Amino acid sequence: MMSRYVPVVQLAEVRPSTRGRWARPVVAPDEPDQTPAQWHRMLTLLADISLFIGTRGVWSSAASHQLLVAGIISACYATILVTGVLTLVVRRSRSLARLDLVVLATAVTLAYCAVSVAHDFSDESVLTTQAAHQLLDGHAMYGQPWPWLFGGNIAYTATVTGGYDFSYGYPPLLAMLTAPLLWLGRGALPTTLVTTTAIATGAIVMWKMLPVPWRSAATMVCLGFGMIPTYARLGYPAVLALAFLIPVVMRWTRMGTGGPADWARAACLGAACASQQLPWFLTPFLLAGVYALRRGELGARGAAVAVGRIAGTAAGTWLLINAYFIVTEPRTWIAGVALPIIQGAVIHGQGLVDISLYFTDGSDRLAWYSHASMLLAAGLLAMFVLFVRRLGPAATVLPWCAFFLATRSQDGYYLLMTPLWVAAAATVPPSAFATAWQPRLLHGRRTARMVLAGALLAPSLVAATVAATGGPPLRMEAVGASRTTLTVKTLTVRVSNTGGSPLEPHFMVTTGQSMSRYWKVLSGPSTVAAHATATYRLQPPDGAWGLPKNGTRIRLRAFTPSPVTLSSQDIQVPSGN
């Protein structure tokens, strides 16, 4: 459909531009304005429609206690409808471009309306807000557990050691930006205001940098669908990192050519890495791509200098932001920024771990999911280097594939960075890699190249298979309970260790997809010896556990920390005794 209308767009004279091959056509002053391409109308219309998603819920909340905000949202509804009509009837490209701006302004307005009525604490924002208070009060920000912050609707991050992670585990930039806004109150508003402003700014920057017909794509993926703004209202540090990465990946193939834009991109990359850990996984792909591109133009020495300049500027920015914490609390700081990698959180997500979590009764080789993830990341990076002319345009997508095999394979790791996919797709054409350097291994031998690619990916697939085919090391049976008709006060389970190593089990009971809190062990040994059987008496975390309705699947789960294993068993709660 797109190719059918491209010739209409190209009727105008295309003049040489420093902005690259995908710069928009230039219309001479004496030429009539172009008729918009139909695909441009469609893109604007889709962005306009995407603003409906989630808006009713925000309006419903505002209508009960913030009438001014509800009125603004109603006006936005009118704007969406009028814009939809005009998008289909305007006759000039300039008019449609102005409607793109109206859609963007409406999206930004709705984002701030939403954050004004929906900024409750999440596990991310509550930790960031407390970290900002610690920073403002001159206290240590890392390595400090704050269990009193959790409860109610705030999710716990359970670890395989039987505890929870209550400390701040992100680079410091979001907390630093939140600290000056704490005067707004002790709620989540300061943090969510920073992240919402970040994604709104990122959307505006992306909109401005995209070729004119593609601009509504920025509105759609950054502020439409109710997707990224929801994470912003929850105070996710990854949203701030995304905002800094947007100008980095826009025309990222021009990095390393020098000039102010080069330094700015490198500084933004460092700031993104100081906001959250996800940019750490994208950075090697960008640097490898820049090296290949510049080596094709400048040779090995010139490419190394260009990449070194980018890496040095990014590292310097990162160190500058982290300098205070490196000096004041070096040991807790380094453990804090590495926490998501080393914390040993229980498996969760929408990736391959679901095999062990839902489709089987567990695995005694859960650590192999982590090995598979790291091997896949390394394999994809190696493939990117070897086949950069083919894989170069996918540099902003490839890093996230590794998380599908990770022990924490939550969809947020994928969707939070999807605006980068669009930014690169619209500004980094495949032709940009035509002269990129790549090793001349197996030159001209397609079958051999495919075999090499398979060999690079095979270790991760083997590791994933090892993890998924593991069996539960513990056999469990509910043999007694202290209960009423509606609640369970204690549960007695018999546990048999079928493996050859002593295991230290930690128990939880789940009735859905999410992990619950651990049940307290009232009696029973700390470890179950190899090939031994033990009996445990367990108490729900709140003292009583409400029985679900009939037909609900009740799963008793046991995690062990060394080795990391999961054993699950469907149970029926016994009659009271």
Side-chain angles (χ1 to χ4, degrees):
M1 188 70 170
M2 184 183 300
S3 60
R4 178 182 174 186
Y5 293 97
V6 168
V8 178
V9 180
Q10 294 177 338
L11 286 176
E13 176 190 359
V14 180
R15 299 176 182 171
S17 171
T18 58
R19 296 179 65 184
R21 174 178 177 269
W22 285 37
R24 59 178 175 142
V26 179
V27 181
D30 58 343
E31 293 179 1
D33 196 4
Q34 299 171 321
T35 301
Q38 194 67 13
W39 65 265
H40 184 185
R41 294 185 193 271
M42 182 63 71
L43 194 60
T44 303
L45 191 63
L46 289 173
D48 195 46
I49 292 171
S50 73
L51 303 186
F52 282 124
I53 301 175
T55 302
R56 180 180 178 182
V58 176
W59 178 89
S60 300
S61 299
S64 61
H65 60 284
Q66 295 190 35
L67 292 180
L68 176 60
V69 175
I72 294 173
I73 295 173
S74 294
C76 288
Y77 270 115
T79 303
I80 294 170
L81 294 171
V82 172
T83 302
V85 173
L86 294 177
T87 297
L88 297 175
V89 301
V90 294
R91 297 181 178 181
R92 299 188 305 168
S93 293
R94 288 193 182 96
S95 299
L96 189 56
R98 294 188 183 101
L99 289 175
D100 288 332
L101 180 58
V102 171
V103 175
L104 174 66
T106 305
V108 172
T109 302
L110 287 172
Y112 279 103
C113 287
V115 80
S116 70
V117 299
H119 50 264
D120 294 333
F121 274 127
S122 68
D123 55 337
E124 309 271 347
S125 61
V126 72
L127 288 171
T128 301
T129 303
Q130 181 62 29
H133 279 288
Q134 294 285 112
L135 177 62
L136 206 61
D137 295 338
H139 299 150
M141 195 170 81
Y142 290 103
Q144 311 299 314
W146 304 310
W148 60 88
L149 298 176
F150 291 77
N153 294 326
I154 300 178
Y156 290 75
T157 299
T159 64
V160 294
T161 59
Y164 309 93
D165 199 336
F166 297 122
S167 59
Y168 190 64
Y170 300 101
L173 186 54
L174 180 56
M176 295 170 67
L177 295 176
T178 299
L181 300 179
L182 291 177
W183 60 270
L184 293 173
R186 295 194 66 86
L189 182 59
T191 301
T192 57
L193 191 59
V194 172
T195 49
T196 298
T197 301
I199 191 56
T201 304
I204 293 170
V205 170
M206 183 174 170
W207 188 94
K208 183 65 176 176
M209 295 182 70
L210 281 174
V212 172
W214 294 103
R215 284 178 168 175
S216 279
T219 305
M220 197 181 337
V221 297
C222 291
L223 300 173
F225 301 134
M227 191 167 63
I228 309 296
T230 298
Y231 281 92
R233 293 197 299 273
L234 294 173
Y236 272 57
V239 176
L240 180 61
L242 167 64
F244 279 111
L245 286 175
I246 285 173
V248 175
V249 303
M250 297 290 294
R251 302 181 183 88
W252 69 266
T253 49
R254 300 185 62 191
M255 293 176 69
T257 56
D262 213 31
W263 295 99
R265 283 192 176 98
C268 286
L269 181 60
C273 291
S275 302
Q276 210 257 3
Q277 290 87 351
L278 284 179
W280 299 1
F281 297 89
L282 174 63
T283 299
F285 287 84
L286 294 180
L287 294 180
V290 171
Y291 178 83
L293 289 163
R294 300 292 79 85
R295 180 166 176 175
E297 301 169 354
L298 308 174
R301 181 183 179 86
V305 171
V307 171
R309 183 171 61 245
I310 295 169
T313 303
T317 304
W318 185 82
L319 286 171
L320 182 64
I321 294 171
N322 286 274
Y324 172 79
F325 306 95
I326 295 174
V327 172
T328 59
E329 45 176 318
R331 295 181 62 183
T332 55
W333 164 79
I334 194 169
V337 295
L339 187 62
I341 301 173
I342 63 175
Q343 69 185 169
V346 299
I347 62 173
H348 181 60
Q350 292 73 44
L352 201 68
V353 294
D354 288 352
I355 294 176
S356 299
L357 193 55
Y358 303 116
F359 295 100
T360 68
D361 289 333
S363 173
D364 55 352
R365 300 190 287 258
L366 292 184
W368 282 88
Y369 283 116
S370 295
H371 302 334
S373 178
M374 297 306 296
L375 288 170
L376 181 57
L380 290 173
L381 181 58
M383 284 183 58
F384 183 79
V385 171
L386 294 176
F387 310 110
V388 68
R389 293 181 185 177
R390 175 61 63 87
L391 296 178
T396 56
V397 183
L398 284 172
W400 321 121
C401 297
F403 288 98
F404 190 77
L405 304 186
T407 54
R408 301 286 285 186
S409 58
Q410 299 178 17
D411 64 351
Y413 296 145
Y414 323 132
L415 64 88
L416 274 168
M417 297 295 154
T418 48
L420 304 181
W421 305 7
V422 176
T427 60
V428 180
S431 59
F433 298 89
T435 60
W437 172 86
Q438 64 182 28
R440 296 180 61 85
L441 296 174
L442 311 174
H443 182 67
R445 300 177 181 177
R446 183 176 180 181
T447 301
R449 291 199 303 271
M450 293 178 64
V451 171
L452 176 59
L456 292 172
L457 298 180
S460 62
L461 299 180
V462 170
T465 302
V466 170
T469 56
L474 300 177
R475 293 178 181 173
M476 300 177 292
E477 180 184 6
V479 295
S482 173
R483 52 170 290 183
T484 65
T485 304
L486 301 177
T487 62
V488 175
K489 295 183 178 180
T490 63
L491 181 67
T492 303
V493 297
R494 183 182 297 118
V495 179
S496 299
N497 183 356
T498 62
S501 302
L503 296 175
E504 179 186 351
H506 304 281
F507 303 93
M508 62 174 63
V509 177
T510 63
T511 56
Q513 57 81 25
S514 62
M515 294 293 98
S516 66
R517 292 158 61 192
Y518 283 112
W519 286 40
K520 182 180 180 180
V521 176
L522 297 179
S523 63
S526 59
T527 61
V528 184
H531 306 293
T533 299
T535 300
Y536 290 86
R537 187 164 170 261
L538 310 177
Q539 182 184 54
D542 294 322
W545 181 69
L547 284 167
K549 62 182 180 181
N550 292 334
T552 301
R553 186 185 189 189
I554 302 175
R555 296 277 278 177
L556 173 64
R557 302 188 187 276
F559 287 96
T560 67
S562 182
V564 180
T565 71
L566 167 65
S567 302
S568 302
Q569 180 66 53
D570 288 351
I571 63 170
Q572 295 290 332
V573 178
S575 302
N577 52 26

